[in-house]
Amino acid sequence: MLKVLHIITQLVLGGAQDNTLITIAKHDRSKFHVHLASAPHGLWLERSKKVADVFYPISHLVNPISPLQDIIALIEIIRLLRREKFDIIHTHSSKAGILGRWAGRLAGIPVIVHTVHGFSFHDFMPTWKKQLYIFLERISRSCGDFYITVSELNRQEAVQLKFFKLDNSITIYSGIDFKKLDREVDLTLVKHQIGIPDKWQTIVSVGRLDAQKAPHFLIDAFAQVLSYYPETVLLLVGDGELRQELEAQVNRLNITSKVYFLGSREDVPEILKIADIFALSSLWEGLGRAMTEAMLVGKPVVVPAIYGIPEIVHHQETGLLFEAKNVEQLATHLVYLLQHPEERDRLGQNAKNLTRKLFDGDAMVRQIEEVYEKLLQEKIH
């Protein structure tokens, strides 16, 4: 049986983590003994220990760059790889991707695969910092045998940036567990538990309350929406360093009773199902996992036209797109959909039809395993 180790930086609630844990859970156990290494904290630590056959804590694996901790983490990973003699390591996220690939090369691991869930750099950071991240990715490219991206746009951009080549990479859309999304839900009860008044309309956003997700743009747009549709609530699912700042913004706009900060939740599918509209105001995204889940349950989405998002959100076909940071455009789209329930239904159904074909968790894992088997065969020959 082949020993595969997945390495990810942290076990916080996030798209990269959900993708990794679904992969680990669905691996074919008749072929693979599946291990996981990560920093030993985060809301999904217990879930991780349940799905992996063996879990290894890498205590010095941290975000962001920390030279001393990173060197110690690299040594920890090399020791683990030499001791356990894995056939394959599969790294996820930028920090674990760089350290894991270097450790794999130094430890002589036969097959090294890396998944790009989104880039660690973006246009809203200082140029020197962006260039540093690009440099680190370039010098690490020869340490990986094969690369997986979760959107074709990410793949094309990475090839242009010389992170890898077209012939040693593939796009595999991030699989989602449909069973979790399709379980029966009493929508009236969920609304009642959250405290949404009867017959009010609901806009839902799911994501960390941080600079990347930029929820303050959505709050500003929602304040405009309320002048047309006062019987509407905005549910913000997620937590982060901007929470107090956002609560102050809501207070300042005098819309405290209409914006619900729900924090991190384990019942996201249920909350998505009570939404009339799903909205995001992110500045950068790999693809947007919560957005994909909203589409999978047939919800219309209003999201920025950034990075991989337009690959699946086709404007006026499977959702509505707006220019990042354009609060007026975002507000206009939200008002339009609140005004036109038949258009919400049409976009939601189209979104569901498209995403059900592309984001099957079982199909994702089969594709990943085909990559492993092909690479191992090439090493033998």
Side-chain angles (χ1 to χ4, degrees):
M1 193 174 301
L2 297 165
K3 276 176 81 172
V4 57
L5 173 71
H6 289 267
I7 310 176
I8 191 163
T9 312
Q10 294 179 315
L11 295 168
V12 295
L13 270 68
Q17 289 76 12
D18 199 29
N19 170 301
T20 304
L21 297 178
I22 286 173
T23 304
I24 289 168
K26 290 181 176 288
H27 267 312
D28 183 346
R29 291 310 199 273
S30 69
K31 295 178 182 174
F32 301 99
H33 197 250
V34 190
H35 303 235
L36 170 64
S38 176
H41 47 75
L43 279 166
W44 275 343
L45 178 60
E46 288 312 308
R47 178 185 169 192
S48 303
K49 288 178 176 176
K50 275 182 198 154
V51 296
D53 299 328
V54 186
F55 176 79
Y56 304 100
I58 309 290
S59 53
H60 292 88
L61 202 48
V62 296
N63 265 334
I65 290 173
S66 170
L68 180 60
Q69 300 238 60
D70 295 344
I71 289 165
I72 298 169
L74 179 67
I75 293 164
E76 280 184 276
I77 299 167
I78 291 169
R79 282 181 180 153
L80 168 65
L81 300 183
R82 285 184 172 155
R83 186 178 74 239
E84 294 296 329
K85 298 184 168 52
F86 296 100
D87 299 290
I88 302 157
I89 64 165
H90 187 160
T91 61
H92 304 262
S93 71
S94 301
K95 174 65 74 75
I98 287 169
L99 296 180
R101 277 177 283 163
W102 278 100
R105 231 358 125 228
L106 293 166
I109 299 299
V111 167
I112 301 168
V113 176
H114 175 61
T115 293
V116 177
H117 294 277
F119 299 120
S120 55
F121 54 88
H122 50 84
D123 295 334
F124 304 95
M125 62 169 43
T127 306
W128 69 265
K129 199 173 185 183
K130 181 178 176 181
Q131 291 306 318
L132 172 63
Y133 285 136
I134 289 171
F135 170 74
L136 291 171
E137 289 290 348
R138 280 182 182 159
I139 62 166
S140 304
R141 67 187 161 197
S142 61
C143 294
D145 295 305
F146 201 85
Y147 292 86
I148 296 169
T149 57
V150 296
S151 83
E152 183 58 24
L153 197 99
N154 279 166
R155 182 171 173 235
Q156 297 296 337
E157 188 178 350
V159 168
Q160 281 177 349
L161 288 166
K162 299 185 170 60
F163 293 173
F164 47 77
K165 296 175 182 172
L166 279 174
D167 61 9
N168 73 331
S169 63
I170 191 173
T171 294
I172 300 176
Y173 286 112
S174 198
I176 287 168
D177 187 352
F178 293 170
K179 282 196 219 82
K180 185 179 72 171
L181 292 178
D182 293 341
R183 60 192 175 211
E184 285 296 311
V185 180
D186 183 337
L187 300 181
T188 310
L189 179 64
V190 176
K191 284 185 175 181
H192 177 71
Q193 286 170 339
I194 291 171
I196 301 167
D198 289 343
K199 296 182 181 170
W200 281 40
Q201 301 196 87
T202 305
I203 298 168
V204 172
S205 188
V206 180
R208 294 181 309 281
L209 305 181
D210 65 10
Q212 176 192 348
K213 302 293 181 182
H216 55 285
F217 292 119
L218 177 56
I219 291 169
D220 279 340
F222 180 65
Q224 293 183 29
V225 168
L226 288 172
S227 59
Y228 298 91
Y229 288 95
E231 294 188 344
T232 310
V233 294
L234 171 63
L235 308 183
L236 295 174
V237 182
D239 229 322
E241 68 265 21
L242 295 183
R243 180 156 179 167
Q244 281 186 308
E245 194 180 304
L246 296 167
E247 285 172 342
Q249 179 190 2
V250 164
N251 203 26
R252 206 165 51 245
L253 292 164
N254 200 24
I255 56 173
T256 311
S257 63
K258 308 284 176 75
V259 179
Y260 298 15
F261 289 88
L262 299 184
S264 295
R265 307 270 298 214
E266 288 291 345
D267 60 345
V268 171
E270 286 76 6
I271 294 170
L272 290 173
K273 284 179 184 175
I274 63 168
D276 292 292
I277 304 166
F278 177 88
L280 267 187
S281 50
S282 303
L283 299 178
W284 68 94
E285 286 283 352
L287 195 59
R289 193 168 187 83
M291 175 200 80
T292 307
E293 290 186 347
M295 295 173 78
L296 283 161
V297 296
K299 298 298 172 182
V301 300
V302 178
V303 289
I306 53 170
Y307 296 85
I309 286 177
E311 276 181 47
I312 59 166
V313 181
H314 310 140
H315 188 57
Q316 297 178 335
E317 285 179 42
T318 58
L320 297 180
L321 295 168
F322 64 93
E323 189 186 324
K325 297 189 185 180
N326 191 326
V327 171
E328 301 294 326
Q329 214 175 27
L330 170 53
T332 301
H333 287 345
L334 292 172
V335 168
Y336 175 77
L337 288 181
L338 290 171
Q339 222 165 26
H340 297 92
E342 71 293 341
E343 189 64 359
R344 294 204 301 263
D345 292 344
R346 183 184 74 84
L347 292 174
Q349 192 55 52
N350 287 350
K352 187 174 184 176
N353 293 343
L354 174 71
T355 52
R356 289 275 161 165
K357 287 182 214 151
L358 295 178
F359 294 94
D360 183 288
D362 292 307
M364 171 188 77
V365 178
R366 296 295 84 79
Q367 283 181 277
I368 289 169
E369 290 179 351
E370 282 169 17
V371 167
Y372 294 170
E373 284 162 358
K374 181 171 174 283
L375 292 168
L376 284 165
Q377 290 218 317
E378 285 171 3
K379 293 283 177 182
I380 292 163
H381 300 306

